[in-house]
Amino acid sequence: MPMSLVETSLPTPLNAAKSATEKVTRYTNRRGPFGSACPAACGVAGLQMTASRTASSHPLSTQNPRLSSYLDKDSDNTDNMEAISIAVLDDYQGLSEPKFMALSPGKFASTFFKDTLRPYNHPDTTQDVKDQLVSRLEPFQVIATMRERTPFPRELIARLPSLKLLLTTGNRNLALDLDAFKERGIPVVGTVDKAHPGSVGSVSTTEHCVAMILAAARNIAQDDHEVKAGGWQTASAVSLYGKTLGQVGLGRLGIAVAKIMHSAFGMRIAAWSPNLTQEAADEKAKAAGFPVENEQGEKTFKVVSKEELFKTSDVISVHIVLSDRSRGSIGEKDLSLMKPSAIFVNTSRGPLVVEEDLLNALDKGQIRAAALDVFELEPLPLDSRWRTTKWGKDGRSQVLLTPHMGYVEQTTLEGWYEQQVDNVERWAKGEPLLQSLY
């Protein structure tokens, strides 16, 4: 059965070169923002229409969302109406498309949503946006998610009567209400990082964290901008040798970053978390291949109080897991203790920090710099203060931002999507699923 990839996308030089009268078959959701009603199966096109190629590229756009559907050319074929409908969410790079395209076209119909609507359970999400999200998702039997990009709280799950299988990535996703899925009898399955066995993305995140620490200390982004704009040196860099790296959390990621910064750059390592003891830190040092203490009797991984960590560290790096207890763990009081020359780095989760407190501290120039890969709300709204403030100007701190790239490696993501497709096929055949989350 012939297949065709049809896509609403941005106007680009390539698209502009195509016929201006090109017809595009577009999937239209029932009561959704994309058009009129479609048949109940909704995994295939319910309507053929002319669609302009003007979809917004911003991931939070709600107008003409950029999506692709693999659809049979003959929309009247009754076999299509029986196809298992799959929604693939939040794949910004488009890496999932060739993987899901490989599924049998007579049995499966996949739709790809490359924009992200505001989370259903976010306090600022309006009822209209909630309804848009429901309208988008309710036709689908299978939904494939990417990490925590689209949360599934109980109320949203209850509004998706067609949902039969939820695919996520990694082996943990706190944005999913697993109890609600279990009560509905909806399987939830994850993936493993085959590119870095046993790491669950920690290798990639470690590399990204180290890169951000170095970039903030060496003014990489700032100097790159200055040179390209015709300028030259504008600020001095700072050395990390002999300085103190303060680790908020000393788990797998915290140890990995500490090991690199201690071995490669001679940084002293201090650590704090609510339950961390010096005895546990000593064992972690030995497991990492370090002596428990140096010749001067100084601990390799020195456990300190939270207050001392923020007072004495030259770089603060956050590595604790987000939970109800840890949410908002770092706030105004902690940030006010930091040295004016200090750097704050967060590659863990945005809500661990009271975002308004961090924004205000940086706006006042209280510390040298912040390097952030995670935020309270992702993707960042276009009017976010992180985007609109002129950081590094008028006495403000330097701010380095990346769009939650700590785990975004092509090999890892492709491996995750391959595993999701495998589980779809297993589910369709009634075979046991792999990596169940409950």
Side-chain angles (χ1 to χ4, degrees):
M1 184 177 296
M3 294 283 290
S4 62
L5 168 62
V6 290
E7 177 177 4
T8 59
S9 60
L10 283 170
T12 64
L14 178 61
N15 289 333
K18 297 182 179 180
S19 170
T21 61
E22 178 181 6
K23 297 272 186 177
V24 180
T25 302
R26 187 177 66 175
Y27 171 77
T28 56
N29 252 325
R30 291 178 295 171
R31 299 184 301 280
F34 321 127
S36 57
C38 74
C42 281
V44 297
L47 177 68
Q48 285 196 332
M49 60 184 295
T50 302
S52 62
R53 296 177 176 270
T54 57
S56 169
S57 64
H58 187 257
L60 278 176
S61 169
T62 60
Q63 299 298 321
N64 295 322
R66 185 170 186 257
L67 53 86
S68 305
S69 297
Y70 296 103
L71 306 171
D72 187 87
K73 289 181 179 178
D74 180 10
S75 62
D76 292 328
N77 191 317
T78 57
D79 290 340
N80 290 339
M81 303 309 295
E82 300 171 359
I84 295 172
S85 55
I86 305 170
V88 184
L89 309 183
D90 311 321
D91 174 18
Y92 306 144
Q93 290 80 18
L95 297 174
S96 65
E97 294 179 10
K99 309 301 180 184
F100 282 85
M101 183 181 181
L103 287 166
S104 173
K107 292 180 62 177
F108 305 95
S110 299
T111 303
F112 302 84
F113 297 93
K114 295 184 178 181
D115 66 322
T116 299
L117 295 178
R118 190 180 289 265
Y120 190 95
N121 54 345
H122 192 276
D124 295 334
T125 301
T126 64
Q127 187 61 45
D128 179 62
V129 174
K130 290 182 179 182
D131 292 342
Q132 286 183 42
L133 182 59
V134 171
S135 184
R136 167 179 291 190
L137 300 180
E138 65 178 346
F140 295 98
Q141 297 163 279
V142 179
I143 296 177
T145 66
M146 172 54 67
R147 301 294 291 257
E148 297 96 347
R149 291 177 183 175
T150 296
F152 281 79
R154 177 178 291 272
E155 184 179 340
L156 174 58
I157 297 167
R159 297 182 66 185
L160 303 177
S162 300
L163 183 59
K164 300 295 187 292
L165 174 65
L166 194 287
L167 309 167
T168 185
T169 53
N171 58 11
R172 176 176 59 190
N173 188 337
L174 297 179
L176 307 178
D177 190 326
L178 293 180
D179 289 338
F181 279 112
K182 189 173 183 179
E183 291 168 13
R184 281 271 308 275
I186 300 171
V188 179
V189 291
T191 59
V192 295
D193 186 354
K194 293 185 177 180
H196 308 290
S199 75
V200 196
S202 61
V203 172
S204 176
T205 305
T206 298
E207 293 174 356
H208 196 78
C209 181
V210 171
M212 295 195 79
I213 293 172
L214 296 175
R218 306 303 306 184
N219 300 324
I220 300 298
Q222 178 186 357
D223 287 347
D224 173 76
H225 174 77
E226 289 295 336
V227 172
K228 290 175 179 176
W232 200 238
Q233 296 180 10
T234 58
S236 59
V238 295
S239 172
L240 298 174
Y241 182 80
K243 301 292 180 62
T244 298
L245 171 64
Q247 298 289 77
V248 180
L250 199 61
R252 183 180 65 254
L253 281 165
I255 292 171
V257 172
K259 186 175 181 178
I260 293 171
M261 302 310 293
H262 180 69
S263 299
F265 301 102
M267 294 194 79
R268 295 183 172 90
I269 307 300
W272 170 86
S273 67
N275 300 315
L276 182 63
T277 65
Q278 186 61 61
E279 181 180 7
D282 290 345
E283 291 300 317
K284 292 174 185 287
K286 287 192 289 185
F290 296 128
V292 169
E293 57 186 37
N294 61 20
E295 295 177 354
Q296 289 74 41
E298 182 179 355
K299 294 288 187 180
T300 301
F301 293 165
K302 182 181 179 182
V303 177
V304 298
S305 67
K306 186 181 184 184
E307 181 178 358
E308 183 177 349
L309 189 86
F310 278 85
K311 273 186 176 180
T312 62
S313 297
D314 299 287
V315 178
I316 294 283
S317 189
V318 182
H319 300 286
I320 54 178
V321 175
L322 178 63
S323 65
D324 290 340
R325 187 178 68 169
S326 64
R327 186 179 298 271
S329 292
I330 300 170
E332 180 182 10
K333 179 181 177 182
D334 308 304
L335 298 169
S336 68
L337 298 174
M338 295 179 69
K339 299 177 181 179
S341 59
I343 298 169
F344 182 84
V345 182
N346 188 5
T347 56
S348 184
R349 290 293 183 272
L352 292 168
V353 184
V354 180
E355 188 166 79
E356 195 69 16
D357 292 349
L358 179 58
L359 280 162
N360 291 337
L362 297 170
D363 196 53
K364 296 173 185 175
Q366 288 181 196
I367 61 176
R368 172 187 172 86
L372 309 173
D373 188 45
V374 290
F375 308 90
E376 174 71 30
L377 179 61
E378 298 178 5
L380 283 176
L382 292 176
D383 61 354
S384 166
R385 284 176 65 188
W386 293 117
R387 293 183 184 270
T388 60
T389 302
K390 294 183 178 179
W391 300 113
K393 305 292 184 181
D394 301 322
R396 300 182 185 91
S397 303
Q398 289 290 342
V399 174
L400 174 65
L401 306 176
T402 54
H404 204 153
M405 293 295 291
Y407 65 95
V408 183
E409 287 185 354
Q410 181 172 344
T411 304
T412 296
L413 268 61
E414 287 180 338
W416 284 347
Y417 286 126
E418 288 170 0
Q419 293 170 68
Q420 288 190 336
V421 167
D422 179 49
N423 265 327
V424 169
E425 292 179 316
R426 287 173 173 272
W427 175 75
K429 295 175 183 177
E431 296 177 355
L433 302 176
L434 302 179
Q435 303 298 325
S436 175
L437 297 196
Y438 68 77

